[in-house]
Amino acid sequence: MSSNDKRNKSLDTFLTKTNIKMKTSMQWSYLFKHWSATLLLPLLLTKILYNESIELLAIGFLFGFVFSLPTYAFYALIFKSLQEETISISLKKIILIGISVFGICVTFALMSGDLKGVFTYDVFIYIISSLITGIFFRLGKKSKTKL
């Protein structure tokens, strides 16, 4: 038996005895990063493009936070249930981003009173922000777990 075979066999024996496996887990910080970035990015763009006052942007953030609570409460429930699922991290991310985008559309439709409120520049910016930040932030992390 060669030295490489001996090393491979001893590594296999070690991994079998210790039962160390790589498990991918979802990070709760993703939810908060995605939520806050989706709220902040459109406001920062507004500040840059239209030179709005900081006070107005703070009020906008506060209202955005309050109006987005139902969407992100549902988002958190789905997030929790997806943690137990064995589907890929990419598919989980698509589901969560989809919930966020759908929630943005529903929120703006309810605020405006009709579906025309969904087809505005503001909604478009929030949707694009949600897509970009949802893709940008990392959902999964690999950690060693002992079985």
Side-chain angles (χ1 to χ4, degrees):
M1 189 180 269
S2 72
S3 64
N4 282 341
D5 291 338
K6 287 179 183 178
R7 274 186 281 194
N8 288 339
K9 186 173 181 175
S10 55
L11 179 62
D12 289 340
T13 305
F14 171 77
L15 291 175
T16 304
K17 286 182 180 178
T18 57
N19 288 323
I20 295 176
K21 294 197 177 187
M22 296 302 282
K23 180 182 178 186
T24 303
S25 62
M26 294 168 52
Q27 303 179 71
W28 275 97
S29 63
Y30 174 83
L31 181 146
F32 299 109
K33 288 183 219 172
H34 186 210
W35 186 10
S36 59
T38 298
L39 290 175
L40 288 173
L41 191 58
L43 295 173
L44 292 175
L45 286 172
T46 302
K47 174 67 178 159
I48 292 168
L49 296 175
Y50 301 110
N51 200 22
E52 294 290 342
S53 69
I54 295 295
E55 295 83 15
L56 185 63
L57 296 178
I59 291 169
F61 180 79
L62 181 64
F63 275 96
F65 177 79
V66 170
F67 284 120
S68 67
L69 281 173
T71 296
Y72 279 94
F74 181 69
Y75 184 107
L77 289 172
I78 298 301
F79 186 95
K80 178 75 172 145
S81 68
L82 285 175
Q83 285 184 315
E84 307 303 320
E85 296 296 324
T86 57
I87 58 177
S88 73
I89 289 290
S90 298
L91 185 56
K92 290 176 183 181
K93 220 176 194 187
I94 290 168
I95 292 168
L96 293 171
I97 293 170
I99 289 169
S100 177
V101 168
F102 181 74
I104 290 167
C105 293
V106 169
T107 301
F108 274 93
L110 290 172
M111 285 178 11
S112 69
D114 63 2
L115 288 178
K116 290 179 187 173
V118 174
F119 303 106
T120 64
Y121 174 77
D122 294 335
V123 177
F124 177 73
I125 293 299
Y126 275 96
I127 289 172
I128 294 300
S129 296
S130 182
L131 289 170
I132 290 170
T133 60
I135 292 167
F136 175 75
F137 292 122
R138 190 178 175 111
L139 175 61
K141 67 177 179 178
K142 292 192 179 206
S143 61
K144 289 185 180 180
T145 58
K146 200 166 185 175
L147 299 177

